[in-house]
Amino acid sequence: VWELLYWRAPERSALALLVTLVALGCLERFSVISVGAYGALGVLAVTVPLRLRQVALRVLHPPPPEPPARAQPEAPGVLSPEQQQRWARYLARHVVTATCTLTRLFLVQSVPESL
């Protein structure tokens, strides 16, 4: 943030300034709801093609097989396998819930319906 404010990265600072001015201009002319809706539509217009590209690349170029992992010595402060499984289940449950909610909000349950 400080790099943007002090113009240490002029390209990114100029882009941030332009986006801010466009957003303020839109909020002056249009309601907050319509600006938010068009912003969400813009995000959707970018994410859907990127998602389709990622799926196509995954189908065309499957990843190479990974070499087997080496055993690492235990260090102090490392979680036990039971704790790792409990945290993995906890995080997976929250990630799945968030993903389902965002999918329902932004992708309207499926890519074809969104398109």
Side-chain angles (χ1 to χ4, degrees):
V1 171
W2 292 113
E3 288 181 5
L4 291 176
L5 290 176
Y6 290 125
W7 287 77
R8 292 184 184 142
E11 298 86 17
R12 286 189 284 170
S13 295
L15 182 65
L17 179 64
L18 178 68
V19 168
T20 303
L21 289 175
V22 167
L24 288 174
C26 289
L27 286 173
E28 178 186 354
R29 177 80 172 112
F30 305 109
S31 70
V32 173
I33 294 174
S34 64
V35 171
Y38 281 118
L41 186 60
V43 168
L44 187 65
V46 171
T47 57
V48 169
L50 289 177
R51 183 176 178 202
L52 292 175
R53 178 183 176 270
Q54 183 181 23
V55 168
L57 287 177
R58 193 178 313 132
V59 168
L60 294 175
H61 302 290
E66 295 182 12
R70 297 182 188 174
Q72 297 179 353
E74 274 196 48
V78 174
L79 297 175
S80 68
E82 295 84 20
Q83 290 174 329
Q84 290 176 0
Q85 289 178 356
R86 186 175 48 219
W87 276 103
R89 282 193 301 267
Y90 176 76
L91 290 174
R93 185 172 46 244
H94 285 291
V95 167
V96 167
T97 303
T99 303
C100 289
T101 302
L102 290 175
T103 300
R104 187 173 43 83
L105 290 175
F106 280 104
L107 295 178
V108 190
Q109 300 295 331
S110 70
V111 175
E113 288 179 9
S114 296
L115 294 176

